[in-house]
Amino acid sequence: RSPVGRKVAESSQGPKGAALELLQMALQTSSALADERGPSKGSQIRPADWALSSKVRNRRAHAYHGNSSPDKDACRAFVMANQDLAFALGPLNEKLDSSFTGFTGLADDQRRREFVEGLFPRPAPQGSVDARRLDAVTRALEEVVAGLQAMAQTPSS
């Protein structure tokens, strides 16, 4: 049994006193609660993180405690220092550490920028269309229209 439970069970103040002691003990404990996977895991979740998924909490913990390669850490710092590369920050945390091998050996910021943009292509702006895809769709529609016009001009039997 926990020391808290033992103290309450041994309370000399009766049930109300025991409840009061339990409440006081609860208020004095850490603001963290045991992970939903079970207290035997030893993991703690702060109340502010209760709404986060375990995957997000795990990523946050790895970033906070430095459980990644020096190359990945350097890449993350570079991305965070360059606001125009912010699009890469989310995907960066999902990539394996081995994807960043050699980043710290890059000679200058231009090469580092090319590395990041090669690993994480910039997302298309909202509402924009890839020009190649648009051209392909336009050609396909032109072929359909030409086929329909040819069918309309042939005499029916």
Side-chain angles (χ1 to χ4, degrees):
R1 289 181 60 149
S2 72
V4 174
R6 192 173 312 115
K7 256 191 170 174
V8 171
E10 298 168 359
S11 175
S12 60
Q13 299 177 2
K16 285 186 180 179
L20 183 59
E21 284 182 32
L22 181 60
L23 178 61
Q24 288 172 344
M25 290 290 227
L27 293 175
Q28 291 173 1
T29 59
S30 163
S31 65
L33 296 177
D35 192 339
E36 70 273 5
R37 293 173 292 172
S40 63
K41 299 273 187 201
S43 177
Q44 300 287 310
I45 302 172
R46 297 176 313 131
D49 292 341
W50 287 348
L52 300 175
S53 71
S54 60
K55 184 177 181 182
V56 171
R57 287 193 309 263
N58 191 25
R59 283 191 196 139
R60 185 183 277 183
H62 280 282
Y64 179 77
H65 296 294
N67 297 342
S68 61
S69 71
D71 284 317
K72 186 172 185 177
D73 290 341
C75 185
R76 183 182 294 112
F78 181 76
V79 167
M80 291 176 73
N82 293 277
Q83 289 183 348
D84 63 315
L85 296 175
F87 66 90
L89 196 52
L92 185 146
N93 292 326
E94 296 174 9
K95 282 278 191 188
L96 295 175
D97 289 6
S98 59
S99 303
F100 301 92
T101 302
F103 184 84
T104 53
L106 297 174
D108 56 30
D109 283 354
Q110 180 59 36
R111 285 188 173 36
R112 290 182 191 102
R113 181 175 297 282
E114 290 168 0
F115 181 96
V116 170
E117 290 176 343
L119 198 54
F120 309 105
R122 288 184 181 273
Q126 292 277 338
S128 73
V129 178
D130 181 5
R132 289 172 290 169
R133 293 173 95 190
L134 183 59
D135 288 344
V137 169
T138 302
R139 280 193 302 275
L141 285 173
E142 288 171 348
E143 290 174 11
V144 169
V145 168
L148 289 173
Q149 287 174 339
M151 286 174 50
Q153 292 177 357
T154 57
S156 60
S157 9

